[in-house]
Amino acid sequence: MAVKFLVLVIASVLGLSGVLGADPDPLQDFCVAVKDNKINISPPKSKKDDDKYDHDKDQESPYKVEMSTTNSSDISVVVNVNGAICKNPAMVTGDDFLFKNLVNLGDANNMVGSIVTAANIGMFLGLNTLGISFARIDFKKGGVNPPHTHPRATEILLVIDGSLKVGFVATNNKLFTATVNKNEIFVFPRGLVHFQENVGYGTALAFAALSSQNPGTQQIAPSLFGADPPISDSVLAKAFGLKPEAVDALQVTFSKDKESSWSTEK
C-alpha cells in the first residue's frame, strides 16, 4: 500500500511541477549535472578590447567562458543548463538516475528530534532540470520538524509510519492544520511557513516530494536568530517583544558553532 502511495505522490508532484514549480522547463530529455563543476567568466583584458567588440557582428566575444570539472571523464562537457553543466549524454547511465541514500534510518538525536535526508540537485545529480526532488524525514517520539519554508517548491508529505500533526500558515496568518496518519498525505503550498510534529506513540517516518530540483529550506528561528552577521538585538527585541538578554540567549542557541544541535538537515 505504501508503495502505491509513493507512486501517487511522485506522479502528483510531477504534474504540479509543470504548473507550480519554480524551475524552467527543460529543453532536452535530461541533463545529468557534472559533479564539482566550475564556470569562470573572464572580462575583456581592457576597455579598449570591449569597445572594439561589435555585438551585431559574428565575431569572437572578448568575454572568455571556461568550464572545468574535477572529474576528468566528464571533460568533454561544454553545455551549461540551469546553472549546472550537463554530463555528456553518451556517458550517462542508469546509475545517474538512481539514489540510495534514503534507505537508512536518519539520526534524529538533536534538540528538535527530527532529521531530514534530502535528495535534491545538491547530491542527486540526475535531478538537474527535472523540476522535482525528494526527502526522507525521521522523527523521534515527540520530535518536531520546526517551522520552515521552501521558497521554490510546493511539498507533498506522505506518512509511512506513525502520526504527524502538521500545519502551514497562510499569508493572512491563518493556520491550517491536520493530523496525518500512516498512508495519508498532506500538501504544503509553495513558500508558506509549515511544520510537522510527531504525535504518535513511537518514532515516525515520512517522505516528501517537492516541485523543484532545488527547493531551498529556510528554518524560521535559525534564519532570524542565527543570521551571519547577526540581526541587531534592537530589531529582534522589538519584533518579538523580547528583552535584549533573551535575544542574546537565542542567538547563542542558534549560532553557527551550535548548528549540529539544532539543524534538521543531514
Side-chain angles (χ1 to χ4, degrees):
M1 181 63 73
V3 173
K4 292 182 179 179
F5 271 97
L6 277 172
V7 173
L8 174 63
V9 168
I10 295 171
S12 298
V13 174
L14 282 172
L16 282 171
S17 62
V19 178
L20 302 175
D23 302 349
D25 290 334
L27 300 178
Q28 62 286 311
D29 289 342
F30 55 81
C31 170
V32 175
V34 174
K35 186 177 182 181
D36 301 326
N37 62 76
K38 182 173 63 176
I39 303 172
N40 297 318
I41 302 179
S42 303
K45 293 180 179 179
S46 67
K47 186 176 186 301
K48 183 179 179 181
D49 289 340
D50 193 26
D51 291 340
K52 288 192 302 182
Y53 177 60
D54 188 342
H55 293 265
D56 295 325
K57 292 184 179 180
D58 185 16
Q59 64 184 97
E60 183 180 2
S61 169
Y63 288 85
K64 304 300 182 183
V65 180
E66 298 178 350
M67 300 182 183
S68 62
T69 173
T70 58
N71 187 342
S72 60
S73 64
D74 295 326
I75 205 67
S76 59
V77 178
V78 293
V79 181
N80 182 45
V81 179
N82 292 358
I85 301 173
C86 295
K87 186 176 183 179
N88 186 337
M91 302 167 67
V92 172
T93 70
D95 286 342
D96 288 308
F97 303 99
L98 177 65
F99 189 76
K100 299 181 179 181
N101 290 5
L102 302 185
V103 175
N104 298 323
L105 177 71
D107 183 4
N109 288 311
N110 51 44
M111 75 180 198
V112 295
S114 73
I115 192 70
V116 178
T117 307
N120 56 44
I121 185 60
M123 65 287 296
F124 188 7
L125 303 179
L127 293 178
N128 190 40
T129 76
L130 299 184
I132 192 170
S133 58
F134 211 66
R136 170 183 177 137
I137 314 170
D138 291 280
F139 296 84
K140 292 176 63 177
K141 183 178 179 180
V144 172
N145 191 8
H148 62 281
T149 70
H150 301 297
R152 295 180 289 275
T154 293
E155 174 183 348
I156 293 181
L157 183 83
L158 167 66
V159 175
I160 297 295
D161 192 25
S163 296
L164 299 178
K165 183 73 174 290
V166 307
F168 66 86
V169 181
T171 54
N172 62 358
N173 291 334
K174 183 176 180 179
L175 172 65
F176 295 86
T177 186
T179 298
V180 188
N181 298 308
K182 183 177 180 178
N183 293 335
E184 295 178 345
I185 62 175
F186 190 89
V187 63
F188 302 101
R190 173 182 165 186
L192 296 185
V193 176
H194 60 284
F195 62 88
Q196 300 106 31
E197 178 185 12
N198 181 8
V199 294
Y201 295 104
T203 59
L205 170 64
F207 285 96
L210 301 104
S211 59
S212 171
Q213 68 182 38
N214 185 24
T217 300
Q218 187 170 34
Q219 293 189 41
I220 303 305
S223 68
L224 294 173
F225 295 100
D228 185 18
I231 300 173
S232 70
D233 287 8
S234 61
V235 170
L236 294 173
K238 291 176 182 177
F240 291 95
L242 298 172
K243 294 182 178 180
E245 52 266 31
V247 172
D248 291 339
L250 285 168
Q251 287 177 325
V252 170
T253 297
F254 293 104
S255 62
K256 193 71 175 177
D257 59 352
K258 292 191 175 182
E259 185 175 2
S260 60
S261 68
W262 54 256
S263 176
T264 61
E265 298 225 352
K266 190 173 180 179

